[in-house]
Structures are given as structure tokens and as C-alpha cells.
Amino acid sequence: MPNQRTRAAFEPISPAIDVPALVESTPNFEYVTRISCESIDDNGLENFEKLVFLHVILRGMPLVIEGFNGRLDSSLFSEKWLRTHYSTKTEVARNLTTKTDLPLTIGHYLKNMPMLANQWTTFNYKDPERQRIYLKDIDCPKQWHTHLKKIIPPTLFYLNKSREDFEGPGANTASISDENGAPETQIPRAGDLMSCLPPNMRAENLMCYIGHEGTYTPAHQEMCASLGQNIMVEASDGSIEYGKATKPGSSIWFMTETKDRHVVSEYWLSMLGHDIDIEDHFAQIEAWKSAPFKAYVVEQKPGDFIIIPPLAAHQVWNRGTRTMKVAWNRTTAETLDLALNEALPHARMVCRDEQYKNKAIVFYTLEYYSSIFARHETGGTRTQQLQKDFEHVFILYTTILISECFPSAEVCPKKQDVEYIPFDGSITCSYCRGNIFNRFLTCPWCVGETDDSYDICMECFAMGRSCACISRLKWAEQFRWDELTEKHERWRRMVNHFPGDKRVQYNSLLDIMTELQKERKTLAEICYEQLRCRPWNDISKPVVQEAQEKQSDSETSGVVRKRRKTNGNRKFDQTGRCHICKSSEPKWRLACCSECQLEYCYGSLFRAFNMKPQDVMEMKTWKCPRCDKVCSCAACRRDPSMTPFEPTITLPGHDTAKVADPRSVESLVDFRQSNSQWLKKAGDDDIGRLRKHQEEADARRSQSLLDHSIQLEEIMPEQDRTPTYSPQKGFLVESYPGEFGDIPVDPALEMSGNSVPSLPDSRNQSSVKE
């Protein structure tokens, strides 16, 4: 059943919008917190880095650093310079009106920007036929890259791997000393963990965006839960250019917090009828006003540097004749965690490219950091921070290895049956297009016209996705298993020797697997079992099509044909009936309860109970919804002891046929179907579901802040936890009380309890527009 919900329409923003009045008149709108470049000079680069970690990563709130326009070379970051040096370069612009790509030169686009911007007035800004041409995702000029690298704090810059000399805010306080007073600048802590990858595996994401009045970026989250950085380097200022008047350029941002990611997603699906993972809807201002979560608004002007939290939804609307921005993404230990556990599973559902190779980043980060520990003595604040990152990433690596483990020799493919392909980061899943780190399945029968093999990741195969052969796929791996486990053991011992009175001691991979196997199966074990129970479909013999044609012929002719006798002992011919939808299915498409032996098809479990196939398959003993007293079928609803399950999320249904490899099929769940039928049975209480998501979001953030407070206390030097007053600098070193070990912050960010940071004065209130 397709999604029947009404889809909210696109509604442009008027050129005459008054951003301060909009924010002040809307209860759930707030300004984004701002600090100045000068405050970084005053408080120090180290304190600024702690602030970003606390405010953006842990609290998940956006932050704006203003004042970079005074540090940018105006002769370099200008329309005139760009037209002079790159006028003839051809780029692919996006026609937002027709949703098509438009090749044109940069010079041609810049020349026509006044005409594109001036076409919009307060009377015709809703005209659906007028052109909106956005030059987005273009390569950043090397000269811009070089200059920005000099003025952006190193840990925030693109592909940063070590602390380098720079001339930006806080440069005079960039030197760090350990507890004995020795300089720690030689201890490199990667600000962007993607820099740990070999150069040929890194994603190029330093991009420029040039837009005019009426161009926009739909609501979305940064790819792979990464941190977004965006600085406006130039905009039209209302002066006369080439004999023509211009309009002042700026960009309006609507942003959310990381903690609200689930309620935002549910609001987009249930109330607006769009999937935020698809990134195709620019929400109306009225939709933001009615949202059950806080919306942050900022009007970005030249020199405004915005840091976007991981998984925080945001959308951007450009104003005026011209805006020029440079943007990039960073990966940290915290964003890797969110990527592997949240962002990638969502991207897998809609088959969105994974360009960041997150699992490979985990592996190469541990390689890089372990080499640092081998060269430098432990001790000091910088080293402790590295150790925390190393431990965090090591836990992720352990999770990856566990998913790829086979529990025993009996449940393991023979060594000679496993194809070895040295890892180069280029193998992706033919279905979801996610990057494959080590083990996967490949089909020897399906070879494309260009000898393109059909490779499927284990996550997709467990969901029932594969080529039309369904089974008899072969195993392949890109690392020798002994190599991965040997490194895990070496890194485990390294983590266990880190100093700390309350340090957790990690067990060996073998001990972890022994404990895990008491209750759950690994992903590799699931795939091994499914290969044995799923039937092989010989694609050279279209049996299914022939059977359907014979059945159609018999129905139209009225001739009753005898059924072909089958061998009842053949496991693929055994059938059962789903307790929910009552359809007869082969046994391999049904989940059987370990207690009552009732059977449920995976499609019903997914739509009615929010259970993915892997959730059921990984349980050694699976208890069905009826035994859990939550079954939602008609018969069980009449049982007074039953409390029917209420779906917690809206599933719109995703037709991936246009995106996945054309050889693909879905054999367990038809993911094109929505769960609207089950939402209606549960009362279709959109508001109730949104409220639950909001409560869960608040609880999760509170627990996360509590968990991290202990870690921060361990890495914070004692002097940083003592409030002091510096007459020379003229500011009180305040802290976020209690929660984070008293991290010094700018006075503009004073907080009490969980309140939102107050703005320093009315001047900033009128200029903070996002």
C-alpha cells in the first residue's frame, strides 16, 4: 500500500521577509548562539575547541562564529576575482524549478545573476515557472582553500590531521603544554578523521555554493552524521556592479538540534508527507512554526561561519543578488558512532551513496593513532584526549568485527570457498550503494554487460535484498581475518594500558563472542543460515513467469489442470501461514516463535511491529508479538489481556527500483509498502507519536550529557575547572555548571541549568539571522 498521506507543497519565501520580526513573534523560533572571532583570541584556542565539542557535538546545538569577514582577503574572495580566473570553467548548475542539471560556465552564471535575482518581487515570488538556478556543490578554488586554511582554526578545517600553523583567531594562544609545562604541539589530533584514510579513499567535500534570490537547499542532515562547516565568504552589498544595482545578499537558515532528529523525521513523514532522508522538500515557514520542536534561525552574512551539529536537520534560503559560501564536512569519533548506528541504516533504506567509507575510517584511525602512541610518551591533556578518541573508535571497531564473525567452524564457509580481494575502498553494495569494508556476498551467476559483478552487503542480504538468484551467492573478504583479529588484540591491550582509576578493561574478541553467542547471532551467521534456507532461482530459466502464464491461461480458459505432485521432504516446498496477514508463504519467508510456534511473515513484522528481519533473525530464541501480549491482528485485539502494539514511526514506503542495481529483488519484505494501515488501526495519533519522540529525545540527551561529564572531568586539567578572573583579558572564565567538569567558555555563552545560551546584547539579537 503506497503512502496515502498528503504531501506538503513547496512555498517560497518572500523577498520582503523580516527575519528579526519572524523570530521574535514565533514561540518555538530562537536565534542561533553567536560568538566573535575576537572572543577566541581572548579565551584561547584550546577553550574554543572545548566549547565546540561541548556545544555542537555533545549538546547538539548549532553555533555561529562571526567576524571572519575582517580576516578574509576581499580581493581574493570576490565576484570580480572569480570571474577573472574561472570565467571559462564549466560547472553543472541545478535548475531548481525543473529539477534538472544545467551545464554552464561560471562567467555566464555570474553575469546573469542580477537578472535572475531581480525577477523576484513581493508580488510574483510564488510563480512556479520562473528560473531558480543554483550553482552548488562545485569545487572550491585552490586559492580559496589555501587562504581559508590559514584563518580557520585547524581542528575545524577540511581534512585536518594535525595542529598546523595558522593566522586565524586564537593563533596567539595555539601552543599547548602538558602537565609538566612541555609543549604538546607535536601530538597531532586529527580534527577530521577522514584524513586518516589513504588519499585515494577520501571523499572530496570542500565545496562552493553560489546562489541568488530564491535559490535554496531542501531540509536535510549532513551526510553520514558528519559535522557541517559553512562560511559565507562574499555576497552582494547593494552597490553598483558593472553599471547595475545589486541587492544585499544573505542566507536564511532554519536548523534543529541533534537530540530532536527522531521527532523531526517523524514530523516530516507524518505531518508533511515527506522523508527527510530523501532531501527533496523545502519546508514552509508555517510548517516550522507548527513544529513540536525548537527551530533555530540565523541570517548568514559575509564572515559568518556556521557549525552544524551531526544529524541536525537544516535548510537554507538565499537572498539578494549573490551569495558565495564554502562548505565542508568533518568526521569525529562521535559522528562515526552516529553514522554506523543511525545514519547508515537510514541511508541503506533509501539507497543513498555512502561516500565517506565510515568503517574504513574506523580501521585507519586506529592505525594512525596507535602509531602516534608508539612514537610519543603518554601523559598530558592532549594525549588523554587522543586516548579517549582511540577508545571510542576501538569500541566501534569491535562492533564491526563482531558483526562479521562466524561463531564456529560448523557455521563458517570453507576457506577455499571464500574469494579474497585486497581492500582498496572501491567495493560498494549493488543494492544500497553503501561502502563494504570486509566481508560480503557476491553472485557468480549475475554478471553485467561490462563484467560488473553483483555484490551485496550483509546488512542488505539479511533484509532479503539480493539479485534475482536469491541464494547460492559466494563469500568474499578484503582483509585476512587473522590480520583484523591480531590488530584488535594489539589495540585492546593498548586501551587496557591507558591510565585511569576507573578505566574499563576490555575483553578479547573471543571472550566477547563467547558471551554474545548465548543469546544472539552475528550478522555473518545470519547470512550463512539464510544462504542455506533460501532457494536458488536459476535466472536462465524464468520458472516464475512461466507458472504465472500457465495460471493465467487456466483461469481464462476455465480448464482445471491437475497440480504437479511435489516431494514433501523438499525444504523449499514447505509452506506456512502468517498469523497476521493469513497469506501462505514458504517457510524461509516466515519467522517462527520459539514458544508457541506461530509464524509471522517479515513484511507484517516490519510494518505492524517496527521489526526489521535482522532483529528477528539474530535472536537465538525469538518470542512472537502474541506471546509478548502485543499482537495487533483482529483476533488478538479481541483478547482483553492483549495490548496491541502501536507503531512508533511512520514508514512511507520506498521504491528503490530506480536507484538499486536493476538485477535486484526484495524477497522478504516489500519495502515499497507503507504502514499507514497499521497507523490507522492504532488511532493514527501523529501528535502522540511526536510527543513520545520528543520525550525520548530529552531523556537520551540527558543521559548522554551525564555519560560524557565523567569523561570530560578525566581529560580536563585542574586549572580549567577553577573559575578565575583575568583583568588583562577582561572576562570571567565561567563554566557549564556541573555537567561537564567546568569547561571555560566565552561570557556570551553563559548558561544556567539547561537553558539556552543568552545573546550578549541587542546588537547581536538584530543581526543573528539564520
Side-chain angles (χ1 to χ4, degrees):
M1 177 182 295
N3 185 19
Q4 299 296 326
R5 292 176 177 271
T6 302
R7 292 168 61 88
F10 166 67
E11 183 173 304
I13 295 178
S14 171
I17 184 174
D18 186 335
V19 177
L22 175 67
V23 176
E24 292 164 9
S25 63
T26 309
N28 67 317
F29 281 9
E30 291 194 12
Y31 291 110
V32 175
T33 300
R34 282 178 176 260
I35 63 172
S36 65
C37 288
E38 286 71 20
S39 69
I40 302 176
D41 288 324
D42 294 340
N43 295 330
L45 188 62
E46 186 179 4
N47 286 338
F48 171 70
E49 292 174 1
K50 294 172 185 176
L51 169 63
V52 172
F53 178 72
L54 163 68
H55 186 78
V56 182
I57 298 178
L58 290 192
R59 282 188 171 269
M61 300 163 68
L63 180 68
V64 178
I65 301 98
E66 62 183 9
F68 276 99
N69 54 317
R71 302 169 190 250
L72 292 168
D73 183 349
S74 58
S75 63
L76 177 65
F77 294 96
S78 67
E79 186 272 348
K80 182 178 179 180
W81 182 91
L82 194 63
R83 189 187 289 202
T84 301
H85 291 80
Y86 287 87
S87 182
T88 59
K89 185 180 181 183
T90 301
E91 296 284 1
V92 179
R94 185 66 174 173
N95 187 330
L96 300 176
T97 304
T98 61
K99 296 187 177 181
T100 56
D101 292 332
L102 178 65
L104 44 74
T105 63
I106 291 179
H108 179 75
Y109 181 70
L110 293 175
K111 179 181 178 181
N112 288 280
M113 289 192 79
M115 179 185 66
L116 290 168
N118 292 335
Q119 68 176 322
W120 300 107
T121 68
T122 54
F123 303 102
N124 67 7
Y125 71 93
K126 292 185 179 181
D127 188 342
E129 303 299 327
R130 293 178 182 266
Q131 285 188 324
R132 303 176 189 272
I133 309 298
Y134 198 5
L135 199 58
K136 57 185 298 186
D137 295 326
I138 66 173
D139 293 335
C140 178
K142 293 182 179 179
Q143 297 90 329
W144 288 12
H145 181 183
T146 301
H147 186 80
L148 288 174
K149 188 175 184 178
K150 294 179 180 179
I151 65 170
I152 300 294
T155 54
L156 300 185
F157 196 58
Y158 173 63
L159 287 180
N160 166 268
K161 196 172 184 177
S162 62
R163 184 180 291 275
E164 301 177 7
D165 293 335
F166 81 113
E167 307 165 2
N172 58 332
T173 60
S175 178
I176 297 179
S177 300
D178 63 15
E179 56 190 4
N180 299 319
E184 277 197 291
T185 53
Q186 74 274 16
I187 306 293
R189 182 191 185 202
D192 182 2
L193 295 184
M194 189 182 293
S195 63
C196 298
L197 286 176
N200 64 310
M201 296 185 194
R202 298 170 186 169
E204 299 288 337
N205 63 28
L206 183 67
M207 300 294 178
C208 286
Y209 297 79
I210 306 176
H212 60 81
E213 178 76 51
T215 55
Y216 60 90
T217 299
H220 67 288
Q221 300 164 334
E222 293 300 313
M223 182 177 290
C224 299
S226 57
L227 283 162
Q229 285 78 206
N230 187 298
I231 181 171
M232 184 173 287
V233 295
E234 198 271 348
S236 52
D237 58 6
S239 62
I240 303 296
E241 296 180 358
Y242 305 103
K244 299 179 180 178
T246 63
K247 299 178 180 179
S250 63
S251 295
I252 305 174
W253 292 60
F254 293 87
M255 313 177 77
T256 63
E257 298 182 37
T258 299
K259 78 173 182 66
D260 291 329
R261 58 192 181 276
H262 298 299
V263 67
V264 171
S265 177
E266 181 61 27
Y267 180 71
W268 244 249
L269 287 168
S270 62
M271 307 300 288
L272 305 184
H274 294 269
D275 189 340
I276 202 163
D277 290 321
I278 303 296
E279 301 185 10
D280 65 348
H281 179 61
F282 184 90
Q284 304 173 7
I285 290 181
E286 289 302 319
W288 286 94
K289 287 182 177 181
S290 303
F293 46 82
K294 188 182 301 181
Y296 292 93
V297 183
V298 79
E299 186 170 6
Q300 183 186 25
K301 295 183 178 181
D304 285 346
F305 179 37
I306 301 178
I307 308 178
I308 304 123
L311 293 180
H314 54 283
Q315 66 182 33
V316 187
W317 183 268
N318 297 316
R319 306 180 70 189
T321 301
R322 181 182 63 257
T323 61
M324 293 186 181
K325 290 167 282 188
V326 177
W328 63 94
N329 294 77
R330 288 191 302 122
T331 299
T332 68
E334 293 75 21
T335 68
L336 274 177
D337 197 331
L338 287 172
L340 294 174
N341 293 300
E342 290 193 38
L344 290 184
H346 292 162
R348 188 173 296 115
M349 292 299 296
V350 299
C351 299
R352 182 183 180 188
D353 283 342
E354 182 204 348
Q355 300 178 7
Y356 289 7
K357 301 177 177 61
N358 290 273
K359 291 183 179 180
I361 292 177
V362 169
F363 177 80
Y364 284 102
T365 295
L366 293 174
E367 287 267 45
Y368 173 62
Y369 278 177
S370 62
S371 67
I372 291 177
F373 296 141
R375 296 195 306 268
H376 298 278
E377 295 183 2
T378 59
T381 305
R382 197 76 178 169
T383 304
Q384 292 178 46
Q385 292 171 341
L386 290 181
Q387 290 172 347
K388 285 296 178 183
D389 283 352
F390 187 87
E391 181 178 3
H392 195 162
V393 178
F394 172 75
I395 294 173
L396 298 179
Y397 180 65
T398 302
T399 304
I400 294 170
L401 286 197
I402 287 175
S403 71
E404 298 197 0
C405 276
F406 293 107
S408 64
E410 291 76 23
V411 185
C412 179
K414 296 179 180 180
K415 191 171 183 179
Q416 61 269 25
D417 294 335
V418 179
E419 180 183 1
Y420 175 69
I421 307 168
F423 181 78
D424 63 2
S426 64
I427 298 180
T428 59
C429 176
S430 296
Y431 201 111
C432 72
R433 302 192 298 185
N435 184 255
I436 298 176
F437 172 62
N438 183 34
R439 285 179 170 160
F440 63 97
L441 294 163
T442 183
C443 182
W445 323 102
C446 294
V447 180
E449 296 179 356
T450 58
D451 293 332
D452 180 23
S453 61
Y454 190 93
D455 304 322
I456 191 82
C457 67
M458 292 191 291
E459 290 87 352
C460 277
F461 189 74
M463 293 165 62
R465 293 171 164 179
S466 68
C467 58
C469 298
I470 299 180
S471 189
R472 291 199 187 180
L473 280 73
K474 303 298 182 182
W475 286 96
E477 63 182 15
Q478 302 176 78
F479 289 91
R480 299 298 184 189
W481 188 249
D482 290 345
E483 175 189 353
L484 296 178
T485 53
E486 183 277 328
K487 289 181 182 294
H488 181 274
E489 181 62 20
R490 177 159 55 89
W491 293 333
R492 179 187 73 87
R493 292 176 180 175
M494 190 175 294
V495 172
N496 285 345
H497 281 87
F498 287 162
D501 297 335
K502 300 179 181 179
R503 173 70 60 192
V504 175
Q505 292 294 305
Y506 295 96
N507 296 329
S508 68
L509 189 64
L510 180 61
D511 294 335
I512 296 173
M513 281 299 302
T514 302
E515 187 65 26
L516 177 69
Q517 282 299 305
K518 294 179 181 178
E519 295 183 359
R520 298 180 183 273
K521 303 172 186 176
T522 67
L523 181 59
E525 183 179 0
I526 291 172
C527 292
Y528 181 85
E529 292 180 349
Q530 290 300 306
L531 278 173
R532 295 171 65 87
C533 74
R534 296 178 189 177
W536 177 54
N537 176 31
D538 188 348
I539 58 174
S540 65
K541 300 177 182 178
V543 179
V544 176
Q545 183 178 350
E546 291 178 2
Q548 290 176 345
E549 291 175 355
K550 290 181 180 179
Q551 181 181 0
S552 177
D553 291 342
S554 65
E555 291 175 353
T556 55
S557 64
V559 178
V560 179
R561 300 180 184 272
K562 290 184 179 181
R563 288 187 176 179
R564 177 176 61 86
K565 292 184 179 180
T566 58
N567 184 355
N569 293 327
R570 292 183 60 192
K571 60 180 180 180
F572 301 133
D573 290 334
Q574 296 175 8
T575 61
R577 190 171 297 276
C578 174
H579 176 68
I580 295 289
C581 65
K582 309 304 180 187
S583 62
S584 179
E585 297 283 359
K587 287 287 187 179
W588 61 274
R589 287 183 175 174
L590 297 169
C592 183
C593 178
S594 302
E595 295 188 9
C596 69
Q597 305 305 309
L598 275 181
E599 295 172 319
Y600 289 72
C601 71
Y602 290 104
S604 293
L605 290 173
F606 178 67
R607 287 182 287 275
F609 302 99
N610 298 149
M611 293 184 189
K612 294 181 180 179
Q614 184 180 336
D615 300 336
V616 180
M617 295 173 181
E618 71 179 2
M619 303 302 299
K620 286 290 183 70
T621 55
W622 178 66
K623 194 175 180 181
C624 73
R626 186 171 181 271
C627 291
D628 278 333
K629 299 296 183 182
V630 295
C631 189
S632 304
C633 74
C636 291
R637 282 177 177 273
R638 293 192 290 269
D639 185 346
S641 66
M642 201 74 62
T643 304
F645 180 84
E646 296 183 7
T648 56
I649 57 175
T650 300
L651 302 173
H654 295 293
D655 186 0
T656 57
K658 298 179 181 179
V659 186
D661 189 293
R663 296 168 285 181
S664 303
V665 298
E666 292 176 336
S667 58
L668 291 183
V669 179
D670 184 357
F671 290 102
R672 295 171 300 176
Q673 296 188 38
S674 74
N675 67 341
S676 57
Q677 175 186 355
W678 295 103
L679 292 175
K680 291 178 181 178
K681 286 186 177 181
D684 208 8
D685 184 10
D686 295 330
I687 303 302
R689 284 198 308 281
L690 291 171
R691 185 180 296 112
K692 289 179 181 178
H693 282 293
Q694 191 67 64
E695 293 171 354
E696 292 171 358
D698 292 337
R700 276 193 299 269
R701 184 174 72 166
S702 297
Q703 184 60 45
S704 176
L705 297 180
L706 181 62
D707 293 342
H708 281 87
S709 65
I710 300 175
Q711 298 178 17
L712 283 172
E713 287 177 0
E714 294 176 2
I715 66 174
M716 300 298 293
E718 184 66 30
Q719 63 269 24
D720 284 350
R721 299 201 292 268
T722 305
T724 58
Y725 179 72
S726 171
Q728 291 78 17
K729 294 184 178 181
F731 75 96
L732 182 66
V733 183
E734 293 286 355
S735 67
Y736 285 75
E739 296 176 333
F740 307 101
D742 294 343
I743 296 180
V745 297
D746 186 282
L749 297 177
E750 290 183 15
M751 305 182 77
S752 59
N754 290 325
S755 61
V756 178
S758 58
L759 295 170
D761 54 42
S762 58
R763 176 186 60 83
N764 273 349
Q765 288 189 20
S766 62
S767 64
V768 178
K769 313 172 189 69
E770 178 45 71

